[in-house]
Amino acid sequence: MTNNKQANPDLQPKRRKLAVNDPPGDSNPDHEAKKKRKKDKLEQVNSEISSALVKAKDEIQKNKKHKKIKKKNPEPAEVSDPPNAPEEIVLEGEEDLSPEERRVLERKMKKILKKEERKRLREEGETESKTDSDGPTAAQMALDYLTCWAENRGEWKFQKTRQTWLLQHMFDLEKVSKDKFAVLLEYLEGLRGAAKDTSVQKAMALVQQSGETQDDAAVQQRALRAREVIQLLS
């Protein structure tokens, strides 16, 4: 029996012919419009960031002028917000951004604010430098490392940076005291390799220098330590 669809071509489903002007792919007008709205929103947020930065900069300048006036006319101390702290910037439309777009804007904002802060410090003649309050100095950490080696060997761990500092400054009476140098001599008994050879060469150079500058008391004191090091390591 012959199939009805084959017998009657009119019953077969008609295929839609693609028009020559049909765009390729899955073109979605709603998607394109959504992308355009998001792009416009990002441009708006960037514009608001610039405006907020100008406002923050003006606020900083106003606080600086107020600070100068306050120095001339001191008032009783009051609990207030930290100086030069701009108000929290709330951007309209930020809630419509994706998490990734929000992170990008936050990084951009922090970078611009940091640049403005560095510029302000330069104008005031200040420099961003570390102080003693930032943490222990390299000298203190090296001496603590030596003390730990002598008194608490169980918790002591070798640190090349601390050892290098000690080897570089062991002849300096101001940086390594007499008591610490005595402990350091015990530490040097285990010195090996290039560090040992370099220390001996440096000590011999100091001894030679002391013979050329006999009137220099500081050189003679370093030479005394150098002779002890040579005797220990040779």
Side-chain angles (χ1 to χ4, degrees), residues 7-223:
N8 191 351
D10 295 336
L11 296 178
Q12 295 182 3
K14 296 182 179 181
R15 297 181 180 178
R16 177 179 175 271
K17 295 184 178 180
L18 292 175
V20 176
N21 296 328
D22 284 351
D26 298 331
S27 178
N28 190 337
D30 294 338
H31 180 68
E32 295 296 331
K34 186 176 180 181
K35 286 177 64 177
K36 186 176 185 304
R37 287 197 299 271
K38 182 173 289 189
K39 182 179 179 181
D40 294 341
K41 185 66 67 177
L42 285 174
E43 292 178 354
Q44 178 185 352
V45 172
N46 285 333
S47 177
E48 291 174 357
I49 287 177
S50 300
S51 301
L53 286 175
V54 172
K55 179 181 177 182
K57 187 175 181 180
D58 292 341
E59 187 68 21
I60 290 173
Q61 295 294 335
K62 187 184 298 183
N63 288 337
K64 286 169 61 178
K65 293 180 180 178
H66 178 70
K67 187 176 180 181
K68 291 179 180 179
I69 296 174
K70 194 171 182 180
K71 285 183 178 179
K72 294 180 180 179
N73 303 308
E75 298 177 356
E78 297 180 357
V79 178
S80 60
D81 294 333
N84 301 331
E87 298 178 357
E88 183 180 0
I89 300 172
V90 180
L91 303 175
E92 296 180 1
E94 188 177 355
E95 62 277 3
D96 296 335
L97 300 177
S98 66
E100 180 62 27
E101 292 168 339
R102 191 189 301 270
R103 284 194 292 270
V104 171
L105 286 176
E106 287 177 355
R107 287 196 296 268
K108 184 176 180 181
M109 189 71 180
K110 289 178 181 179
K111 185 177 180 180
I112 297 175
L113 288 175
K114 189 175 181 180
K115 183 177 179 180
E116 290 294 328
E117 179 66 12
R118 287 198 299 267
K119 182 178 179 181
R120 181 186 68 80
L121 291 175
R122 285 196 300 270
E123 291 175 354
E124 295 181 356
E126 300 177 4
T127 57
E128 297 179 84
S129 59
K130 292 185 178 181
T131 60
D132 293 340
S133 60
D134 293 331
T137 62
Q140 186 60 51
M141 289 189 290
L143 294 175
D144 290 344
Y145 165 81
L146 182 63
T147 301
C148 182
W149 174 85
E151 299 178 359
N152 195 355
R153 194 71 62 87
E155 295 185 2
W156 174 85
K157 292 183 179 179
F158 174 75
Q159 298 182 44
K160 186 176 181 179
T161 303
R162 309 298 170 230
Q163 175 176 287
T164 300
W165 188 95
L166 291 170
L167 297 180
Q168 288 178 346
H169 300 91
M170 61 182 172
F171 304 112
D172 192 331
L173 279 72
E174 294 182 358
K175 295 183 178 180
V176 180
S177 66
K178 183 178 180 180
D179 295 338
K180 293 294 183 182
F181 182 71
V183 178
L184 182 55
L185 286 176
E186 297 179 11
Y187 178 89
L188 293 178
E189 290 180 0
L191 199 62
R192 298 290 183 274
K196 177 181 178 180
D197 297 337
T198 302
S199 298
V200 172
Q201 292 173 6
K202 186 175 181 180
M204 293 178 67
L206 284 174
V207 172
Q208 183 178 356
Q209 182 184 3
S210 67
E212 299 172 355
T213 56
Q214 298 181 1
D215 296 335
D216 192 329
V219 173
Q220 297 301 321
Q221 289 176 341
R222 289 197 294 269

